Amino acid sequence: MPFHYLMCARNVVSRAFGAEPGDIRFLKVPMERGRLPKPSDEIDPNRWIREVTVLAQRTKGGKTGSDGDVLIWVHGYNNDLPAIMHRQSYLVADLENAGFDGAVVSFDWPSDDSTLNYIEDRSDASAVARHLVTDGVTRLNQLQDAGCKLNVHLLGHSTGAYVILEAFEQAQRDGELYKSPWRVDQIGFI
Protein backbone atom coordinates (compact mmCIF):
# COMPACT_ATOMS: atom_id res chain seq x y z
CA MET A 1 0.00 0.00 0.00
CA PRO A 2 1.41 3.43 -0.90
CA PHE A 3 1.72 6.16 1.70
CA HIS A 4 1.75 9.94 1.99
CA TYR A 5 4.67 11.35 3.95
CA LEU A 6 4.20 14.58 5.86
CA MET A 7 6.06 16.74 8.34
CA CYS A 8 3.22 18.09 10.46
CA ALA A 9 3.64 21.20 12.62
CA ARG A 10 0.11 21.22 14.07
CA ASN A 11 -0.95 20.87 17.68
CA VAL A 12 -2.98 17.90 18.86
CA VAL A 13 -6.43 18.36 20.39
CA SER A 14 -8.44 15.33 21.55
CA ARG A 15 -6.27 12.89 19.54
CA ALA A 16 -6.69 14.91 16.32
CA PHE A 17 -4.65 17.62 14.65
CA GLY A 18 -5.65 21.20 15.38
CA ALA A 19 -4.97 24.52 13.68
CA GLU A 20 -2.33 25.92 16.01
CA PRO A 21 1.46 25.39 16.11
CA GLY A 22 2.63 22.19 17.76
CA ASP A 23 5.55 19.80 17.84
CA ILE A 24 6.95 18.60 14.52
CA ARG A 25 5.71 15.10 13.75
CA PHE A 26 6.86 12.85 10.93
CA LEU A 27 3.80 11.11 9.51
CA LYS A 28 3.31 8.10 7.28
CA VAL A 29 -0.33 8.10 6.18
CA PRO A 30 -1.92 5.31 4.09
CA MET A 31 -3.09 6.57 0.68
CA GLU A 32 -6.73 5.69 1.13
CA ARG A 33 -9.48 7.89 -0.24
CA GLY A 34 -10.70 10.18 2.52
CA ARG A 35 -8.00 9.04 4.97
CA LEU A 36 -6.78 11.97 7.06
CA PRO A 37 -3.56 12.13 9.06
CA LYS A 38 -3.84 11.23 12.73
CA PRO A 39 -1.30 11.65 15.51
CA SER A 40 -1.06 7.84 15.59
CA ASP A 41 0.47 8.00 12.05
CA GLU A 42 3.66 9.42 13.55
CA ILE A 43 6.81 7.38 12.99
CA ASP A 44 10.39 7.83 14.17
CA PRO A 45 12.04 10.75 12.30
CA ASN A 46 15.04 8.64 11.28
CA ARG A 47 12.77 5.93 9.88
CA TRP A 48 10.76 8.61 8.04
CA ILE A 49 13.95 10.01 6.48
CA ARG A 50 15.11 6.52 5.45
CA GLU A 51 11.77 5.66 3.85
CA VAL A 52 11.53 8.98 1.99
CA THR A 53 15.11 8.53 0.77
CA VAL A 54 14.32 5.07 -0.62
CA LEU A 55 11.28 6.52 -2.43
CA ALA A 56 13.42 9.36 -3.77
CA GLN A 57 16.00 6.97 -5.17
CA ARG A 58 13.59 4.74 -7.04
CA THR A 59 13.66 4.75 -10.82
CA LYS A 60 10.96 4.10 -13.35
CA GLY A 61 12.16 0.51 -13.56
CA GLY A 62 11.61 0.07 -9.83
CA LYS A 63 15.32 -0.16 -9.07
CA THR A 64 17.02 1.92 -6.39
CA GLY A 65 20.05 4.05 -7.22
CA SER A 66 22.29 6.38 -5.25
CA ASP A 67 20.77 9.57 -6.68
CA GLY A 68 17.30 10.83 -6.02
CA ASP A 69 14.87 13.71 -5.76
CA VAL A 70 12.60 14.80 -2.93
CA LEU A 71 10.01 17.48 -3.52
CA ILE A 72 8.73 19.13 -0.35
CA TRP A 73 5.37 20.76 -1.02
CA VAL A 74 4.24 23.55 1.33
CA HIS A 75 0.53 24.40 1.15
CA GLY A 76 -1.05 27.84 1.33
CA TYR A 77 -3.37 29.31 3.92
CA ASN A 78 -7.08 28.52 4.31
CA ASN A 79 -6.35 24.80 3.96
CA ASP A 80 -7.56 22.09 6.28
CA LEU A 81 -6.24 18.53 6.33
CA PRO A 82 -8.79 17.13 3.84
CA ALA A 83 -7.79 19.79 1.27
CA ILE A 84 -4.08 19.24 1.90
CA MET A 85 -4.32 15.47 1.46
CA HIS A 86 -6.45 15.87 -1.68
CA ARG A 87 -3.94 18.30 -3.20
CA GLN A 88 -0.96 16.15 -2.29
CA SER A 89 -2.60 13.17 -4.05
CA TYR A 90 -3.14 15.24 -7.19
CA LEU A 91 0.39 16.65 -7.05
CA VAL A 92 1.89 13.15 -6.79
CA ALA A 93 -0.21 11.89 -9.72
CA ASP A 94 0.51 14.93 -11.90
CA LEU A 95 4.26 14.77 -11.25
CA GLU A 96 4.36 11.03 -11.95
CA ASN A 97 2.50 11.64 -15.23
CA ALA A 98 5.10 14.28 -16.09
CA GLY A 99 7.94 11.79 -15.51
CA PHE A 100 9.03 12.73 -11.97
CA ASP A 101 10.08 9.57 -10.16
CA GLY A 102 11.20 11.01 -6.84
CA ALA A 103 9.41 11.35 -3.51
CA VAL A 104 6.77 14.00 -2.81
CA VAL A 105 6.29 14.96 0.82
CA SER A 106 4.35 17.76 2.47
CA PHE A 107 5.29 20.26 5.12
CA ASP A 108 1.95 20.81 6.86
CA TRP A 109 1.95 24.04 8.81
CA PRO A 110 -1.02 25.00 11.03
CA SER A 111 -3.41 26.88 8.79
CA ASP A 112 -7.08 27.08 9.64
CA ASP A 113 -9.95 26.58 7.22
CA SER A 114 -11.01 30.21 7.33
CA THR A 115 -10.42 33.00 4.82
CA LEU A 116 -10.74 35.55 7.64
CA ASN A 117 -7.87 33.95 9.55
CA TYR A 118 -5.06 35.09 7.24
CA ILE A 119 -3.16 37.25 9.76
CA GLU A 120 -3.15 34.53 12.44
CA ASP A 121 -2.27 31.86 9.85
CA ARG A 122 0.68 33.94 8.69
CA SER A 123 1.85 34.31 12.29
CA ASP A 124 1.50 30.54 12.83
CA ALA A 125 3.41 29.95 9.58
CA SER A 126 6.26 32.11 10.82
CA ALA A 127 6.28 30.31 14.18
CA VAL A 128 6.92 26.89 12.60
CA ALA A 129 8.73 27.83 9.36
CA ARG A 130 12.21 27.24 10.76
CA HIS A 131 11.38 23.54 11.18
CA LEU A 132 11.11 23.17 7.41
CA VAL A 133 14.89 23.71 7.25
CA THR A 134 16.05 22.29 10.58
CA ASP A 135 13.86 19.16 10.65
CA GLY A 136 13.33 18.65 6.91
CA VAL A 137 15.84 20.00 4.43
CA THR A 138 18.88 19.72 6.71
CA ARG A 139 18.10 16.13 7.75
CA LEU A 140 17.64 15.09 4.13
CA ASN A 141 20.78 16.95 3.13
CA GLN A 142 22.86 15.14 5.75
CA LEU A 143 22.57 12.05 3.56
CA GLN A 144 24.91 13.76 1.11
CA ASP A 145 27.75 12.82 3.45
CA ALA A 146 26.86 9.13 3.10
CA GLY A 147 27.55 9.04 -0.65
CA CYS A 148 23.98 9.73 -1.62
CA LYS A 149 23.18 12.53 -4.05
CA LEU A 150 19.75 13.62 -2.94
CA ASN A 151 18.26 16.71 -4.57
CA VAL A 152 15.75 18.51 -2.35
CA HIS A 153 13.23 20.70 -4.15
CA LEU A 154 10.73 23.02 -2.48
CA LEU A 155 7.36 24.01 -3.91
CA GLY A 156 5.23 26.55 -2.08
CA HIS A 157 1.72 27.58 -2.97
CA SER A 158 0.57 31.03 -1.86
CA THR A 159 1.49 31.43 1.82
CA GLY A 160 3.52 28.23 1.44
CA ALA A 161 6.05 30.31 -0.51
CA TYR A 162 6.16 32.69 2.47
CA VAL A 163 6.83 29.70 4.76
CA ILE A 164 9.78 28.66 2.57
CA LEU A 165 11.29 32.15 2.48
CA GLU A 166 10.75 32.62 6.22
CA ALA A 167 12.27 29.21 6.96
CA PHE A 168 15.51 30.01 5.16
CA GLU A 169 15.65 33.54 6.55
CA GLN A 170 15.27 32.25 10.12
CA ALA A 171 17.77 29.44 9.55
CA GLN A 172 20.29 31.86 8.09
CA ARG A 173 19.78 34.34 10.94
CA ASP A 174 20.20 31.56 13.52
CA GLY A 175 23.31 30.23 11.80
CA GLU A 176 21.70 26.90 10.78
CA LEU A 177 22.65 27.35 7.13
CA TYR A 178 26.31 27.60 8.04
CA LYS A 179 26.22 24.24 9.84
CA SER A 180 25.16 22.54 6.63
CA PRO A 181 27.39 21.44 3.73
CA TRP A 182 25.25 23.33 1.19
CA ARG A 183 25.39 27.04 0.57
CA VAL A 184 22.70 29.72 0.53
CA ASP A 185 23.61 30.62 -3.07
CA GLN A 186 22.53 27.12 -4.11
CA ILE A 187 18.95 28.02 -3.25
CA GLY A 188 17.01 29.32 -6.23
CA PHE A 189 13.46 30.56 -6.67
CA ILE A 190 11.36 30.54 -9.80
Side-chain angles (χ1 to χ4, degrees):
M1 168 189 306
F3 294 91
H4 287 293
Y5 289 85
L6 295 90
M7 288 178 283
C8 182
R10 294 174 182 266
N11 67 337
V12 175
V13 179
S14 300
R15 291 184 278 177
F17 288 112
E20 296 299 322
D23 295 332
I24 297 298
R25 290 177 168 78
F26 292 81
L27 308 179
K28 179 181 179 180
V29 183
M31 273 190 202
E32 300 169 356
R33 187 171 174 83
R35 172 69 156 78
L36 297 179
K38 300 182 260 186
S40 60
D41 294 323
E42 183 175 7
I43 64 173
D44 175 75
N46 294 322
R47 177 180 165 200
W48 188 94
I49 293 291
R50 281 192 309 271
E51 290 185 20
V52 167
T53 301
V54 168
L55 285 174
Q57 294 171 329
R58 72 179 182 215
T59 63
K60 288 184 179 110
K63 297 178 183 171
T64 301
S66 61
D67 296 353
D69 291 281
V70 175
L71 175 89
I72 301 174
W73 173 63
V74 186
H75 63 81
Y77 99 104
N78 190 23
N79 282 265
D80 58 7
L81 283 171
I84 292 161
M85 298 308 293
H86 179 74
R87 290 185 177 125
Q88 184 175 359
S89 292
Y90 272 100
L91 181 61
V92 167
D94 287 348
L95 287 170
E96 284 177 359
N97 288 337
F100 182 77
D101 57 0
V104 178
V105 302
S106 294
F107 180 79
D108 175 33
W109 58 275
S111 68
D112 202 359
D113 187 20
S114 171
T115 52
L116 300 177
N117 210 43
Y118 180 77
I119 300 299
E120 183 187 346
D121 275 0
R122 192 167 163 109
S123 175
D124 291 346
S126 180
V128 301
R130 184 174 187 277
H131 295 286
L132 174 61
V133 172
T134 58
D135 293 321
V137 175
T138 299
R139 281 177 175 234
L140 288 164
N141 191 60
Q142 288 171 348
L143 297 171
Q144 303 293 348
D145 298 335
C148 165
K149 182 180 176 205
L150 192 66
N151 299 304
V152 179
H153 312 274
L154 300 169
L155 175 65
H157 172 256
S158 184
T159 308
Y162 167 76
V163 171
I164 293 169
L165 290 171
E166 184 69 13
F168 281 97
E169 182 178 303
Q170 288 179 22
Q172 184 173 14
R173 185 175 51 243
D174 296 342
E176 291 294 324
L177 292 181
Y178 303 108
K179 296 176 186 172
S180 172
W182 42 268
R183 301 183 320 268
V184 177
D185 64 341
Q186 292 175 312
I187 301 167
F189 296 96
I190 56 170

